Amino acid sequence: MSDRLRDVYVVDAVRTPIGRYGGALAGVRPDDLAAGVLGALVSRTPELDPARIDDVFFGNANGAGEDNRDVARMAVLLAGLPVSVPGTTVNRLCGSGMEAVIQAARAIAVGDASIAVAGGVESMSRSPWVMQKPERGFPTGHQQMYSTTLGWRMVNPRMPEEWTVALGEGAELLAERYGIDREAQDAFALACHRKAARAWSDGLYEGEVVPVDGVDLARDECIRDGTSPQALAKLKPVFRTDGTVTAGNSSPLNDGAAALLLVDEDGLRATGREPLARIGASAVTGIEPQYFGAGPVEAVRRALRKAGRELGELATVELNEAFAAQALACVNQLPGLDPAVVNPRGGAIALGHPLGVSGARLTGAVAHQLAAAGSGTGLATLCIGVGQGLALVLER
């Protein structure tokens, strides 16, 4: 191991178009989604010998269905990479894809790897129903089935009830705490859809999004080009009868995959390419589980402090939008952050939030935006269920 940390570069980043729940990607297994982006990523750098890849890190929040048995390693094999290329799957719930990037970057920085792939995959459409194993043979009573698509299940009875509220109720708590009304949430959601639609029409995703074999899906499936303040206002609250959180100002359930190619200086020469960006500092923090949506705030502060940067220096910020109330709560707690640089090409309310993918998607988006600008500092961050926040600084 070197006594000096190595610089880590993002050479390329790709993702699938994000499918809606039960939509265009619902017929595609998650291991095939992961293999698809892995194969596409490698094919875009023909000078790189795939056998040079030291490890593949993939985030995945579920792991209860076809994504079981280490989906990262399955993706390596299904993508036709040499069997000598290993793979590991990491789980930090919504932060899994970014955690994969951070772990891959850390391995390169300390000299354990020179070239690595990091990404994430999730098929919420194909998440299975599960049941607990009976404590004895031939039980006479009914057995409860649990959906693994999203949220708490098989909760430990020792967990305090206030920690295990539904994710949407957590968003209501933040709206209540920070005085974020329904109109502000709907306005945020409307702007998200408009930014995403404009980015697609302007061709800003052409260099980032790769097709899924056998699927006719040209862009992210949940963008509502024609939505309006009136349409959003008609939607009923989901979690409280008198609440403010609706399907329109929340992220949807989704399917997709993303992957990034990370290298050190030697690996960069092996690719023959100019990097998109350099990986900077990262930070992870914890918070009370019911207020999980505010998790990014302290993570952002710590990551920027490590990087020696200020909020006002950021050229672009990708902040995951689990809920409009959650995103607004974070922005409101970060004075000095220019809202105009947050999610300039749309966020998860429009693009979608396949859990294990989002952290990798955010990181790749920042890298592409910095490359397009030619220079600058960017930041990717997201909240995490059960009360965590994760943030990553990138430079160019």
Side-chain angles (χ1 to χ4, degrees), residues 121-362:
V121 63
E122 204 78 50
S123 176
M124 300 177 81
S125 293
R126 300 178 73 88
S127 299
W129 292 81
V130 299
M131 60 182 289
Q132 291 179 299
K133 188 175 182 179
E135 294 181 2
R136 58 184 176 81
F138 309 108
T140 57
H142 295 290
Q143 299 298 308
Q144 182 174 354
M145 299 287 288
Y146 297 86
S147 171
T148 64
T149 303
L150 179 70
W152 292 90
R153 53 190 176 271
M154 302 182 192
V155 178
N156 191 314
R158 296 194 299 111
M159 280 281 189
E161 288 186 12
E162 64 269 23
W163 286 359
T164 61
V165 299
L167 298 173
E169 173 60 19
E172 290 283 11
L173 290 172
L174 287 176
E176 196 173 66
R177 171 176 279 192
Y178 296 106
I180 303 167
D181 61 24
R182 169 72 180 270
E183 289 72 22
Q185 294 175 52
D186 286 354
F188 184 90
L190 180 64
C192 176
H193 284 285
R194 288 178 173 172
K195 287 188 290 185
R198 184 169 60 250
W200 271 103
S201 65
D202 290 347
L204 300 182
Y205 282 117
E206 288 179 0
E208 180 178 346
V209 177
V210 296
V212 178
D213 286 346
V215 176
D216 182 15
L217 182 61
R219 71 167 197 174
D220 302 307
E221 199 171 8
C222 288
I223 301 171
R224 301 182 184 92
D225 299 66
T227 195
S228 65
Q230 294 76 20
L232 290 168
K234 290 179 181 178
L235 298 174
K236 295 182 178 180
V238 177
F239 302 95
R240 297 181 183 180
T241 56
D242 60 345
T244 60
V245 178
T246 71
N249 56 42
S250 306
S251 62
L253 307 179
N254 299 99
D255 312 324
L260 298 84
L261 180 60
L262 307 180
V263 300
D264 61 8
E265 293 282 358
D266 288 340
L268 189 60
R269 284 188 286 272
T271 69
R273 295 185 58 178
E274 179 184 351
L276 300 176
R278 182 179 61 82
I279 297 289
S282 65
V284 62
T285 56
I287 195 171
E288 289 180 278
Q290 69 271 36
Y291 296 112
F292 73 94
V297 175
E298 184 59 26
V300 166
R301 291 171 179 158
R302 292 188 189 182
L304 288 175
R305 189 160 56 244
K306 290 179 185 179
R309 297 293 184 181
E310 301 288 341
L311 284 166
E313 298 178 70
L314 296 174
T316 186
V317 173
E318 286 289 328
L319 165 66
N320 198 48
E321 302 165 355
F323 301 90
Q326 164 267 319
L328 286 167
C330 292
V331 172
N332 292 347
Q333 291 181 82
L334 293 169
L337 175 62
D338 180 2
V341 306
V342 177
N343 301 343
R345 300 180 182 179
I349 289 174
L351 301 177
H353 180 22
L355 303 180
V357 181
S358 290
R361 179 190 73 77
L362 298 169

Side-chain angles (χ1 to χ4, degrees), residues 97-107 118 262 279 282-284 390-392:
M98 189 178 293
E99 181 65 25
V101 173
I102 291 169
Q103 289 197 21
R106 187 177 295 137
L262 307 180
I279 297 289
S282 65
V284 62
L390 195 57
L392 178 63

Side-chain angles (χ1 to χ4, degrees), residues 17 33 43 49 63 67 87 104 113 143 165 197 248 309 329 370 380:
L33 287 172
S43 70
D49 177 2
D67 44 8
Q143 299 298 308
V165 299
R309 297 293 184 181
L370 291 177

